[in-house]
């Protein structure tokens, strides 16, 4: 991209001459009614290859797997890079204590079942005796209360037994989906708490390119681009899925994820990928960065009309570089003469004087 440099020497010389004339006349120094400005012509964007960002290939969904119960890891059954299936065991804890707890809970269930059966039989036996007056209603109410309490104890014992059985099952870490183990975070012999990361799993399915986009290019980030995975000559279509809502505090860039089409499974995880954005051709105009001003209602540039009066043209930048701003051609057609420097001091309808060599 060619860069246009605005020479400030004619403007400085003209301003110096104005100051000298004011000093010779003995009048007080004041701003002229027609301020002197440097101008430039808006240039059509010549196109090019567009921006390119390099990142890495990631899975659409990546999860960190952990045991749901604490314990000592006695087996790690997979290594990093292993392809696993849903339900496949990945690691095991020492489940001896959980087995004892499950056995004790099952024993309590059997005792509660026997007690519930006995109290239910007593209540059924005493129920007809109330009508004949063989027993008092209060005695029958006591038997019914014992039956209800035994039934509640049985429900609680069964729930405790189910919980103990689940904990014994949780001592085996299984894959929750098909995928690839990308990282091992704990080893056999290590004592871990519930929730301590053990393995990281990248699920099978779509692959994405994770790239860092500067904040200056965020507004014009296209929805589709071309991506090339390192070692592969054929590019694939990349579709923007999401952009991080906050910038990285150190690099001031935003993480953007592009879904790679056509190669969901065989794109290697962690491989280098380059996302090339389409170049803006025919629909953009280049102006010097100093021409862009913001008067409080949005950015734009001052356009110099044939009668040398200025009007403010709002235009949202598509991209910013160190010296130029890329604006939509619909807002500012190429060839438009604009104020290149000093736009912060102007107001709409004001007549300006052009620096030497900047005729309309």
């Amino acid at each position: 991209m060619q860069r246009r440099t605005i020479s400030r020497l004619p403007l400085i010389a003209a301003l110096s001459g104005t100051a000298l004339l004011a000093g010779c006349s003995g009048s007080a120094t004041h701003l002229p009614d027609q301020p002197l400005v440097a101008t430039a012509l808006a240039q059509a964007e010549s196109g090019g290859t567009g921006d390119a960002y390099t990142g890495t290939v990631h899975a659409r969904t990546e999860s960190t797997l952990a045991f749901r119960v604490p314990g000592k890891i006695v087996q790690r059954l997979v290594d990093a890079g292993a392809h696993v299936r849903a339900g496949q065991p990945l690691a095991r804890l020492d489940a001896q204590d959980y087995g004892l707890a499950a056995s004790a809970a099952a024993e309590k269930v059997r005792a509660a079942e026997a007690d519930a059966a006995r109290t239910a039989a007593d209540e059924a036996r005493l129920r007809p005796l109330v009508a004949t007056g063989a027993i008092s209603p209060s005695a029958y109410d006591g038997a019914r209360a014992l039956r209800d309490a035994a039934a509640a104890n049985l429900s609680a014992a069964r729930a405790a037994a189910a919980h103990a059985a689940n904990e014994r099952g949780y001592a085996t870490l299984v894959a929750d989906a098909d995928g690839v183990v990308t990282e091992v975070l704990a080893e056999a012999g290590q004592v871990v708490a519930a929730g301590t990361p053990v393995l990281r799993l990248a699920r099978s399915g779509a692959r994405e390119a994770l790239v860092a986009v500067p904040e200056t290019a965020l507004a014009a980030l296209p929805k589709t681009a071309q991506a090339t995975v390192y070692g592969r000559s054929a590019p694939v279509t990349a579709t923007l899925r999401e952009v991080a809502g906050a910038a990285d505090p150190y690099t001031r860039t935003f993480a953007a994820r592009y879904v790679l089409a056509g190669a969901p499974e065989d794109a290697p995880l962690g491989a280098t990928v380059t996302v090339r954005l389409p170049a803006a051709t025919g629909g953009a105009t280049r102006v010097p960065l100093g021409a862009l001003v913001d008067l409080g209602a949005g950015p734009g540039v001052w356009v110099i009309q044939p009668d040398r009066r200025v009007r403010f043209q709002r235009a949202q930048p598509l991209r910013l570089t160190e010296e130029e701003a890329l604006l939509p051609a619909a807002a500012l057609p190429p060839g438009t003469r604009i104020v290149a420097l000093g736009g912060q001091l102007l107001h709409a309808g004001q007549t300006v004087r052009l620096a030497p060599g900047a005729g309309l």
Side-chain angles (χ1 to χ4, degrees), residues 6-7 10-12 14-15 32 34-40 302-304 308 310 337-346 350-359:
I6 304 301
S7 176
L11 177 60
I12 295 173
L15 292 176
Q34 297 182 359
L36 185 65
V37 296
T39 66
W302 287 106
V303 175
I304 303 175
R308 288 187 172 82
V310 295
R337 185 166 293 279
I338 60 173
V339 175
L341 290 173
Q344 294 83 354
L345 305 177
L346 301 178
Q350 187 175 12
T351 302
V352 297
R353 291 181 297 124
L354 307 185

Side-chain angles (χ1 to χ4, degrees), residues 68-341:
R68 299 172 64 175
V69 293
K72 179 181 179 180
I73 301 176
V74 293
Q75 280 184 304
R76 178 171 61 80
L77 305 175
V78 293
D79 296 319
H83 291 262
V84 298
R85 295 291 184 183
Q88 178 179 338
L90 306 178
R92 288 192 177 93
L93 294 177
D94 183 357
Q96 182 177 0
D97 291 340
Y98 296 110
L100 293 175
S103 298
E107 190 65 32
K108 289 182 180 180
V109 169
R110 286 190 289 271
E113 288 175 342
D115 188 47
R118 179 181 59 78
T119 55
D122 290 343
E123 185 274 336
R125 179 174 55 82
L126 296 178
R127 188 186 311 139
L129 299 180
V130 178
T132 60
I135 61 172
S136 64
S138 60
Y140 171 73
D141 290 341
R144 187 171 57 183
L146 291 176
R147 181 205 61 185
D148 294 342
N153 289 337
L154 177 59
S155 297
R158 285 174 175 170
H163 178 70
N166 287 339
E167 287 193 328
R168 181 171 58 182
Y170 295 154
T172 299
L173 182 64
V174 298
D176 55 354
D178 296 349
V180 178
V181 177
T182 59
E183 190 175 2
V184 175
L185 304 173
E187 295 292 344
Q190 184 175 345
V191 177
V192 296
T196 301
V198 176
L199 299 169
R200 188 163 287 121
L201 179 70
R203 295 191 178 188
S204 299
R207 293 290 186 256
E208 297 182 339
L210 177 62
V211 296
V213 179
E215 52 189 340
T216 54
L218 199 60
L221 200 62
K223 296 297 183 182
T224 58
Q226 292 293 313
T228 304
V229 180
Y230 179 77
R232 304 188 180 193
S233 58
V236 297
T237 301
T239 305
L240 182 64
R241 183 175 69 85
E242 68 174 15
V243 179
D248 185 277
Y250 300 104
T251 63
R252 304 307 305 166
T253 58
F254 291 79
R257 285 181 172 266
Y258 279 87
V259 179
L260 303 178
E265 296 291 345
D266 59 351
L269 295 170
T272 302
V273 59
T274 300
V275 177
R276 301 186 183 278
L277 308 185
T281 57
T285 306
R286 293 184 290 111
V287 300
L289 191 59
L292 197 65
V293 296
D294 192 337
L295 303 180
V301 295
W302 287 106
V303 175
I304 303 175
Q305 302 179 104
D307 59 357
R308 288 187 172 82
R309 293 182 182 272
V310 295
R311 64 176 177 85
F312 188 72
Q313 176 63 51
R314 292 185 58 183
Q316 185 66 38
L318 301 176
R319 188 170 69 250
L320 299 177
T321 65
E322 294 180 356
E323 297 183 4
E324 293 180 323
L326 195 66
L327 305 180
L332 187 70
T336 305
R337 185 166 293 279
I338 60 173
V339 175
L341 290 173

